[in-house]
Amino acid sequence: MRDLMTLVPIFAFMLIPVWIPLAAMAFGALHDAVVAPARRARAPRRTRQAQPGHRAVSPAGPRVPAAGTAR
């Protein structure tokens, strides 16, 4: 039993690089669970309809001629 009580702190110390991220993930998950309902409640409602006078924008950006082509 004495040997086991000597090894437990050594292994716990060796696993610090594992415990820190696990603790951070647990804290982040708890924080998200508490904050998410309030964030969802105050978020503005988004609609898919475009505003009048606005034109659609491509997510790929503007179309430009390829390099080396003459137009």
Side-chain angles (χ1 to χ4, degrees):
M1 185 69 177
R2 184 174 168 92
D3 293 336
L4 180 66
M5 296 308 288
T6 303
L7 291 176
V8 167
I10 294 171
F11 284 124
F13 182 75
M14 288 172 54
L15 291 174
I16 285 177
V18 175
W19 291 117
I20 291 174
L22 287 176
M25 287 189 310
F27 178 76
L30 180 65
H31 181 267
D32 288 345
V34 170
V35 174
R39 184 177 296 151
R40 192 178 309 122
R42 73 170 183 254
R45 299 283 180 199
R46 294 188 178 112
T47 60
R48 299 194 122 230
Q49 298 173 356
Q51 298 293 333
H54 291 234
R55 46 185 200 138
V57 177
S58 170
R63 296 184 57 88
V64 294
T69 59
R71 289 204 175 186

